[in-house]
Amino acid sequence: MPMPDFSLDPPRDKKLLRRQLQAERLAMIDRHERAMHLQQVLRVWLVTRKEQTIGAYWPIKGEFDALPALYRWTEGAPERRIGLPVIDRETKQLRFHVWYPGCPMEEDAFGIPKPKDTEQFTPQMLLVPCVGYGPKGLRLGYGGGFYDRTLAAIEPRPYTVGVGYAHGYLPWLTPEPHDVPLDAMLNENGVVSDVDADGP
């Protein structure tokens, strides 16, 4: 009797993998502590950067909330701006609109808050949430392709930084034709700046 095939086909299995990693993230008993460490990593790292405009995201499903660190980054520097994504229904790409604490918000089609009627701009840097991530800047997102389509079209291309927790590192992750690799990755242990390294 032949043995069952337990091998995983990564492209076919990504839906299951996303669910597993999200469940792990939500179940972390030390998620608050990890988030505090990542806040510090992000704040220190931003000091080294020259970009003045950053596109971020509204955290969902246990994602790291980068907005407190970004707001601190803008304090005393009026030229610095933070944006949150708004989905273009026709192109399925993301536009970024100015966000600040207390700005008018509304829910998008997925129930995620987005800025309402604030200025649109092209960010010089994108902070990209990661369900998982792998070598060479590979990112595992939610499967909608919004960031990949946006990065393929946006000019000039922003510097892209993934943010996520260390549990999401997948050393076997392989690229698909539409994947756009990240320029850097941050987790609660520090900066994963060498995307060819063996792991976080």
Side-chain angles (χ1 to χ4, degrees):
M1 181 175 178
M3 292 292 289
D5 183 7
F6 290 111
S7 64
L8 295 178
D9 179 351
R12 192 174 63 224
D13 195 55
K14 284 185 177 178
K15 188 174 181 180
L16 175 62
L17 183 61
R18 288 184 184 100
R19 288 203 302 266
Q20 178 184 332
L21 288 172
Q22 288 177 64
E24 286 179 11
R25 186 170 65 193
L26 287 166
M28 286 177 179
I29 59 173
D30 61 345
R31 184 155 48 94
H32 178 72
E33 182 180 352
R34 289 176 185 243
M36 295 299 288
H37 286 305
L38 187 42
Q39 287 281 342
Q40 187 65 22
V41 168
L42 178 57
R43 286 180 59 190
V44 170
W45 184 79
L46 284 172
V47 172
T48 70
R49 302 299 306 179
K50 66 182 185 301
E51 290 88 357
Q52 298 295 300
T53 58
I54 297 179
Y57 60 93
W58 189 270
I60 60 172
K61 302 179 181 178
E63 288 175 338
F64 167 68
D65 184 359
L67 294 176
L70 292 178
Y71 180 63
R72 291 289 297 271
W73 170 77
T74 64
E75 288 183 323
E79 70 279 6
R80 292 179 174 174
R81 291 188 292 174
I82 305 165
L84 291 181
V86 175
I87 298 171
D88 186 308
R89 293 182 181 181
E90 292 185 7
T91 65
K92 305 296 188 208
Q93 296 170 11
L94 303 176
R95 304 188 312 264
F96 288 85
H97 288 251
V98 170
W99 173 87
Y100 53 88
C103 82
M105 302 285 284
E106 61 184 353
E107 289 189 352
D108 67 12
F110 298 96
I112 302 171
K114 64 179 182 178
K116 182 180 180 182
D117 302 326
T118 62
E119 180 186 354
Q120 179 181 341
F121 69 97
T122 301
Q124 297 168 332
M125 178 192 293
L126 276 189
L127 282 191
V128 186
C130 297
V131 178
Y133 57 99
K136 300 181 180 178
L138 294 179
R139 167 185 176 265
L140 181 70
Y142 290 100
F146 295 109
Y147 278 96
D148 290 322
R149 281 191 293 272
T150 301
L151 289 173
I154 195 169
E155 289 290 344
R157 186 182 185 278
Y159 188 84
T160 56
V161 186
V163 286
Y165 297 117
H167 83 106
Y169 180 68
L170 306 166
W172 51 264
L173 196 64
T174 55
E176 296 184 37
H178 61 270
D179 287 338
V180 180
L182 300 165
D183 296 309
M185 180 73 204
L186 310 182
N187 65 30
E188 70 272 29
N189 297 325
V191 180
V192 185
S193 55
D194 181 1
V195 293
D196 295 316
D198 292 332

